[in-house]
Amino acid sequence: MAAALAICVAVALPSAAVADTRLLPFTAAAQISEQLDFNVDASCLPASPGTESTALGRISGAGLGSTGIGAFTLASVDCVRAANPFFQPPYSFSSQVFRLTTSSGDQIVASYSGSAVLDPSTMLLVLDGSFQFTSGTGRFKKVRGSGRLVGAEDISGFPAARGFVTLTGVIAR
């Protein structure tokens, strides 16, 4: 009888652990502002100066809605690269720091990368990439998950831009 009980307990523990870390749908949309800075640091230097150009993008934003985290703000610094010396689209981008802060003060840290191309019909920069949650605080201390990043930015005020991004994927706390 004791052996049967021990087997039951051994089976129940992993199943409870899985239930606590299951991946749930995640969506977060935000309005963003970005300021490009051409005084880049060593982590964002052109790989081939003269044939490639780079800028640091400093991004801030406010959530427009989400599933999985509630109200949030976001802050990010990324490296934006152009495969030409004149910093013209298309671009590739990758995060250096990306934080989502919930209304309770908990944070989710993530990384992202992707590409941005100019849509000639709208003159908007169309963003397409992926993201990965890397760490967090509070109730998101053990966060994990990933997904797709899409968005659009109006770059008519270059080097400032305004737009929207949406993160769609999965999350587990």
Side-chain angles (χ1 to χ4, degrees):
M1 188 70 128
L5 181 58
I7 291 171
C8 251
V9 170
V11 171
L13 287 176
S15 133
V18 169
D20 290 342
T21 60
R22 69 174 188 221
L23 294 171
L24 300 171
F26 173 80
T27 302
Q31 183 173 1
I32 62 167
S33 296
E34 180 170 18
Q35 183 67 44
L36 292 172
D37 181 356
F38 294 97
N39 296 314
V40 298
D41 63 18
S43 65
C44 190
L45 290 175
S48 301
T51 61
E52 180 182 84
S53 51
T54 59
L56 281 176
R58 299 180 197 291
I59 301 168
S60 61
L64 298 172
S66 73
T67 59
I69 65 170
F72 69 96
T73 59
L74 67 85
S76 177
V77 175
D78 62 14
C79 183
V80 182
R81 298 183 180 282
N84 60 69
F86 309 106
F87 202 73
Q88 297 295 311
Y91 304 112
S92 63
F93 57 86
S94 59
S95 64
Q96 292 183 339
V97 177
F98 178 43
R99 283 185 169 65
L100 301 171
T101 303
T102 67
S103 58
S104 65
D106 295 336
Q107 291 189 343
I108 299 172
V109 180
S111 62
Y112 61 82
S113 63
S115 61
V117 296
L118 190 63
D119 179 342
S121 66
T122 62
M123 296 307 289
L124 293 175
L125 200 56
V126 178
L127 313 173
D128 187 20
S130 60
F131 69 91
Q132 176 89 28
F133 297 129
T134 58
S135 65
T137 64
R139 67 182 188 156
F140 296 103
K141 185 176 181 177
K142 295 183 180 184
V143 70
R144 66 184 177 96
S146 61
R148 185 168 180 209
L149 175 154
V150 295
E153 284 187 293
D154 175 358
I155 59 172
S156 63
F158 185 82
R162 294 191 181 280
F164 299 91
V165 295
T166 301
L167 307 172
T168 306
V170 292
I171 188 170
R173 310 185 254 173

